Amino acid sequence: MKIFIVGGSSGIGLSLAKRYASLGNEVAICGTNEEKLKEIKKNDSSIKIYKVDVRNKDELKSAIDDFSQGNLDLVINSAGIYTNNRTIKLSDKEAFAMIDINLTGVLNTFEAVRDMMFKNNRGHIAIISSIAGLLDYPKASVYARTKMTIMGVGETYRAFFRDYNINITTIVPGYIATDKLKSLSKEDITKKPTVLSEEESTNIIIKAIEEKKEKIIYPLSMKILIFIITKLPKKLLTYIMIKQANWGKK
């Protein structure tokens, strides 16, 4: 298969790229961090590298077209940024960056492959959201709102793309032990519920894509927990979530 991973220079995106490449697939990734991209290129020549800002649709499309040469089996968007800051501390720069990368980046991914996949009458698109996007409460973060929105975007595109034999899988993971999560948690992720390793998450995502699932929420324990707490009154849910967000802070 030919596979392009948007935001594949770190975290789950890079883990997926390495796994797919090890299975004999043609894999390309894109990202913006030049140092990370150079390091990946040095350590794994089997993965093709592109320096691309996902906010630039033309730039993204150009990279995908160069790699695919008109034939692409799977594109995965795992690009995303997160900040611990909430609205009262969130700068406009941080807010716009999350909206641009987390949301506009997904829209650009769909649009970058649309014509090619329509012409080929086949293809698969996977977008990585977050369990945070399932929690609808008044003080939800900008990050959570962007992840909630892209789930809706996935549903909308699926309705239009299915006539062209194009599958869309929405990936909704809980906490994954990425370097980013460890950094944001000051290297202590023990208080995060049901944390999975990158390898465990990679296994689940690849299986969901192989089975052409429309949506996968995991791990099961987190899925059950989310189902329960979303039944709570909004005031109580807000209290619990704000308290959880401040775990470990002095």
Side-chain angles (χ1 to χ4, degrees):
M1 290 199 302
K2 273 194 172 183
I3 301 166
F4 194 101
I5 301 179
V6 181
S9 61
S10 62
I12 193 62
L14 180 57
S15 179
L16 284 164
K18 288 179 177 178
R19 177 69 64 79
Y20 274 122
S22 73
L23 294 172
N25 300 288
E26 290 182 66
V27 179
I29 64 170
C30 71
T32 56
N33 189 312
E34 205 159 344
E35 287 185 12
K36 285 182 180 178
L37 292 173
K38 285 179 179 177
E39 188 67 20
I40 295 165
K41 189 174 182 178
K42 186 173 89 171
N43 294 329
D44 196 337
S45 59
S46 66
I47 298 174
K48 194 163 185 179
I49 308 295
Y50 293 90
K51 187 174 185 295
V52 171
D53 187 334
V54 71
R55 294 170 290 188
N56 187 321
K57 184 178 72 175
D58 292 337
E59 197 175 285
L60 178 60
K61 186 177 185 306
S62 178
I64 291 174
D65 287 348
D66 179 77
F67 169 70
S68 68
Q69 296 297 301
N71 179 29
L72 186 68
D73 298 289
L74 170 65
V75 60
I76 301 173
N77 184 302
S78 66
I81 60 168
Y82 172 79
T83 173
N84 272 333
N85 292 338
R86 289 183 171 264
T87 306
I88 55 172
K89 294 181 179 180
L90 194 68
S91 69
D92 58 350
K93 185 177 179 181
E94 288 174 320
F96 280 118
M98 276 193 283
I99 292 168
D100 279 347
I101 294 172
N102 298 355
L103 177 54
T104 306
V106 166
L107 291 168
N108 286 344
T109 300
F110 280 117
E111 293 302 314
V113 300
R114 174 206 285 263
D115 292 342
M116 175 175 44
M117 288 189 173
F118 278 14
K119 181 181 178 181
N120 294 339
N121 197 43
R122 67 178 185 84
H124 199 137
I125 302 165
I127 57 174
I128 298 183
S129 180
S130 167
I131 212 88
L134 297 174
L135 297 170
D136 183 12
Y137 61 102
K139 292 187 178 181
S141 64
V142 172
Y143 171 81
R145 294 301 186 191
T146 63
K147 292 300 185 178
M148 179 185 294
T149 302
I150 68 171
M151 282 189 256
V153 167
E155 294 294 328
T156 299
Y157 272 91
R158 184 179 293 113
F160 288 99
F161 281 27
R162 62 166 50 103
D163 290 340
Y164 294 88
N165 198 32
I166 299 166
N167 297 293
I168 295 175
T169 300
T170 303
I171 311 293
V172 189
Y175 291 109
I176 308 301
T178 61
D179 289 342
K180 181 66 174 178
L181 179 65
K182 292 172 186 175
S183 173
L184 289 169
S185 305
K186 297 181 180 179
E187 302 303 321
D188 180 13
I189 58 174
T190 57
K191 292 182 179 178
K192 300 294 186 184
T194 59
V195 179
L196 294 184
S197 68
E198 287 184 358
E199 183 180 5
E200 290 172 314
S201 186
T202 297
N203 292 338
I204 292 169
I205 292 172
I206 289 177
K207 188 171 186 289
I209 290 171
E210 285 177 349
E211 294 177 353
K212 298 181 179 178
K213 288 184 181 271
E214 291 191 354
K215 181 186 285 186
I216 176 76
I217 303 170
Y218 69 92
L220 179 60
S221 55
M222 179 64 87
K223 183 178 180 179
I224 293 169
L225 176 61
I226 294 296
F227 176 79
I228 293 169
I229 66 175
T230 51
K231 302 301 180 184
L232 298 173
K234 287 288 177 72
K235 284 187 179 180
L236 180 56
L237 175 58
T238 300
Y239 171 78
I240 291 170
M241 294 310 299
I242 294 299
K243 190 170 181 61
Q244 188 274 339
N246 288 299
W247 276 348
K249 292 184 180 181
K250 295 180 179 179

